[in-house]
Amino acid sequence: MGIAGFVKHLRAHLGNVAETVIQSISDLLPIKAELPNESSTDDDMSSDQSDHSADAAFTGQLYLFEAIGCISSTSTIPVEKQVLYARTILEPLFSDIQRTLPSASSGDAQATLQIHHIIMALGTLAHGFSDWTPGNAATAHLAPLKEVSEEFNRAAEAILIALEALRASFDVRTAARASFTRLMGVLGIGMLPLLPRWIDGLLSQSSSKDEMAMFLRLLDQVVFGFKKEIYSVLDSLLTPLLQRVFAGLAEPITGTDDEIQLAELRREYLTFVQIILNEGLGAILVSDSNQQFFEPLIISVTTLAKTVNPDTGNLSASRLAFSVLTRMADLWGGPNIAILSPQPMASTHPPSPSFPGFDRFLIERFHPICWDVLRDPQFRPVTDAQIKQVLNEIAGLEQIIYTKTGDMFLQHLQGSFFPAMGIDGTDFIKAMTTSADRKGLSGFLQRFLRQNG
C-alpha cells in the first residue's frame, strides 16, 4: 500500500495534524524534472540507475501530493482551512508554470518535462482531494465543496494554458489527459464549460489515433456522469469533436501498430455515439447545431458496419456499428406498428417516425447495409464467434425496421429489393416477422448463408 492509500485509511483521524504534516514535508514538494542522460548506453549501469531514480523520485512526489490532498480534505477540517491548504500547495505550482512556460514554448526539453511534471502534480493533488465519482449515487455525499472546487478550477485553467501553448508535445498532452480525469471528481459540472478547450488541446493535429481513442473514453465518463447538465455543452462541441475524430479515422494506415490503433479508435468512436444514444442525449445528433453533420455521421457508422474483414480486426467495430444503427432505429423510428408473432398481422397504422422521412431512411439506408454484409464472401458465420455476433446484430436491426415500418417494409422487400437481387425472400420475410426475437432470425440467416456460401 502506498502512502496515499495509507493516508486514506487514516484520513478521518488526521485532520488536527494536517497543517503540521504539510509544513513538515513542504521541502519535498518542489519539482525538479531531470532529463534522461542521452549519453547513457546499455552497459552504463550507473546512468541507467540515475535516470530510473529520477523517475522514482518524481513518482514518490506524486504520492505525497495525493496524500496531502487526502489529509487536507477530511470532513473534520473547516472549509476555509481546506481552501488554505489547497492554495498553499497550488500557488507554488502556478508560479512554476508561469516561470517555466516561456522556455518550454521555445523548445527547451527540460522545461517541457518540468511542465509535464507540474501538470501531473496538479491532477494528483486533485485526486487526493476528492473520492467523488460523477454519476455514481453511492459517492454523491463525497462531492467536493464549492469553495474547494473553485480553487481547482484555477488548477484546470493553469493546465489548459500550458496545454494550449505546448499542445504539440506528446508528454504534455499525456499529462493533461491524466489530469483531466482526476479533476472531474473535484470540479464536478465546473468541467463542462472548459470542455471545448480540453478538446482543442488534447485532439491537436499532433494527436495519434491512440490518443483520440483514450480521450473518447474520458468523454464517455463525462457524458455518463453529467448527462443531465451536459446537453448544451455537448450540443455545441459535437460537430468539431467528430470532425477531428473523422480526420483520424481517415488517416492512411502505415503499419501494424497503426492498424491496431485505428481499430481501437473505431470502437471508441462507436461506443461514444452509443453512450450518447443510451443516456437520453440522442437529440443532440439531430439538433440544429449538428444537423449538417448527421449525414457524415450516418455514412461513417454504416461504412464501419459493412467493414467485416476478419483479418483486419474490424468485426468488433461492425458489431458496434449495427448496434448503433439499431438504437437509432428504435429511438427515432416512432411507435411499433407491427408485432413479431407466429401469426403475423398486417399493420393498420402508417409509420410515425420522430422526424419526417426517417421511415424511408430506415428502409433505403439502414436495411441495405445488412445485405451488403450478408453477401460479402468474407462473412461466413459458421465457426467464427465474432461473425455470429455481427449476424445477431443484423437480425436485430432488420426486425426493428419491420416493427417500426410494417407493411411499408414488406412491400419494399417483395416489390423491389429481393427481385432486384434475384432472391426469393419469402422465407426470410417469414423468419423475420414470426421469430419472437432476433435469435430466431439469426438462426435462419446462419442456415441461409450456409446454403448459399
Side-chain angles (χ1 to χ4, degrees):
M1 180 188 300
I3 184 173
F6 178 72
V7 168
K8 281 191 175 183
H9 283 284
L10 298 177
R11 67 192 304 180
H13 308 287
L14 295 175
N16 60 332
V17 297
E19 191 167 355
T20 302
V21 172
I22 293 172
Q23 290 175 349
S24 67
I25 64 174
S26 60
D27 60 329
L28 300 176
L29 299 180
I31 294 171
K32 296 179 181 178
E34 295 182 27
L35 289 172
N37 189 341
E38 294 181 1
S39 63
S40 65
T41 65
D42 291 341
D43 297 326
D44 188 357
M45 292 303 295
S46 62
S47 293
D48 288 343
Q49 291 169 353
S50 175
D51 292 340
H52 178 72
S53 67
D55 289 340
F58 176 60
T59 299
Q61 281 186 300
L62 291 181
Y63 286 133
L64 289 179
F65 279 107
E66 185 176 0
I68 287 174
C70 292
I71 294 171
S72 303
S73 58
T74 181
S75 59
T76 59
I77 298 178
V79 63
E80 60 271 14
K81 284 284 190 179
Q82 293 188 37
V83 169
L84 175 63
Y85 299 154
R87 193 172 294 167
T88 299
I89 305 301
L90 290 171
E91 289 292 350
L93 296 174
F94 295 159
S95 298
D96 202 352
I97 287 181
Q98 189 174 25
R99 182 173 55 253
T100 309
L101 195 55
S103 297
S105 299
S106 299
D108 185 298
Q110 193 277 334
T112 301
L113 186 61
Q114 181 78 3
I115 295 292
H116 165 275
H117 284 13
I118 297 169
I119 291 174
M120 290 294 294
L122 290 170
T124 304
L125 180 67
H127 184 61
F129 257 87
S130 178
D131 289 327
W132 179 54
T133 302
N136 184 348
T139 62
H141 65 289
L142 300 174
L145 298 168
K146 178 183 177 183
E147 294 86 348
V148 174
S149 294
E150 289 173 352
E151 288 301 312
F152 282 96
N153 193 62
R154 297 171 62 217
E157 180 68 23
I159 293 172
L160 285 168
I161 289 172
L163 177 61
E164 287 162 351
L166 303 173
R167 70 183 67 194
S169 167
F170 172 80
D171 288 339
V172 169
R173 294 196 306 271
T174 300
R177 187 174 60 249
S179 293
F180 174 93
T181 187
R182 291 165 179 166
L183 283 164
M184 274 181 60
V186 73
L187 287 185
I189 61 173
M191 284 290 286
L192 301 185
L194 302 174
L195 271 181
R197 293 174 66 190
W198 285 104
I199 290 171
D200 282 342
L202 292 174
L203 297 184
S204 71
Q205 291 183 345
S206 305
S207 299
S208 66
K209 288 186 275 290
D210 192 42
E211 289 180 80
M212 291 184 184
M214 286 189 283
F215 186 65
L216 285 174
R217 277 200 293 275
L218 295 183
L219 285 184
D220 292 346
Q221 298 175 32
V222 176
V223 173
F224 179 76
F226 304 112
K227 46 183 170 282
K228 291 182 179 179
E229 300 92 354
I230 200 173
Y231 186 96
S232 60
V233 176
L234 189 59
D235 187 42
S236 65
L237 62 79
L238 186 67
T239 290
L241 169 64
L242 292 184
Q243 284 174 331
R244 297 189 182 209
V245 172
F246 287 178
L249 291 171
E251 288 176 359
I253 297 175
T254 57
T256 302
D257 289 345
D258 205 35
E259 192 170 273
I260 293 172
Q261 288 189 13
L262 177 60
E264 183 66 16
L265 178 57
R266 287 169 168 170
R267 287 192 293 270
E268 292 301 333
Y269 157 62
L270 292 166
T271 299
F272 177 65
V273 175
Q274 189 174 51
I275 285 176
I276 289 175
L277 294 168
N278 289 343
E279 295 301 326
L281 297 167
I284 289 174
L285 301 177
V286 291
S287 69
D288 291 342
S289 301
N290 301 302
Q291 186 66 51
Q292 62 181 358
F293 216 66
F294 183 70
E295 178 67 15
L297 171 71
I298 293 300
I299 291 174
S300 71
V301 175
T302 54
T303 299
L304 291 175
K306 61 184 179 182
T307 307
V308 291
N309 185 346
D311 298 329
T312 57
N314 291 333
L315 289 171
S316 177
S318 178
R319 178 185 60 78
L320 272 172
F322 274 113
S323 179
V324 166
L325 294 175
T326 300
R327 188 73 183 99
M328 288 178 174
D330 191 31
L331 190 64
W332 299 323
N336 292 349
I337 63 171
I339 300 173
L340 303 174
S341 169
Q343 301 296 327
M345 298 175 59
S347 54
T348 57
H349 300 285
S352 182
S354 297
F355 42 89
F358 193 68
D359 48 349
R360 299 301 316 177
F361 198 87
L362 290 175
I363 293 171
E364 296 171 1
R365 294 289 296 276
F366 285 16
H367 159 67
I369 300 301
C370 300
W371 286 87
D372 286 343
V373 172
L374 292 172
R375 301 183 74 189
D376 188 326
Q378 299 177 98
F379 189 77
R380 287 297 171 263
V382 178
T383 57
D384 193 303
Q386 282 195 335
I387 289 182
K388 289 181 179 179
Q389 290 174 353
V390 175
L391 190 65
N392 193 51
E393 294 295 339
I394 288 174
L397 178 56
E398 290 284 71
Q399 285 191 316
I400 201 74
I401 293 173
Y402 168 65
T403 60
K404 300 298 182 182
T405 61
D407 285 349
M408 178 189 289
F409 188 31
L410 298 184
Q411 290 171 12
H412 173 76
L413 294 177
Q414 294 168 329
S416 60
F417 185 77
F418 284 131
M421 291 176 58
I423 294 176
D424 181 357
T426 303
D427 290 341
F428 168 79
I429 292 173
K430 180 180 179 181
M432 179 182 69
T433 57
T434 61
S435 298
D437 54 33
R438 63 175 61 185
K439 184 177 179 181
L441 179 57
S442 178
F444 167 82
L445 290 174
Q446 287 190 54
R447 295 189 296 273
F448 173 84
L449 291 177
R450 197 175 296 120
Q451 294 166 5
N452 294 272

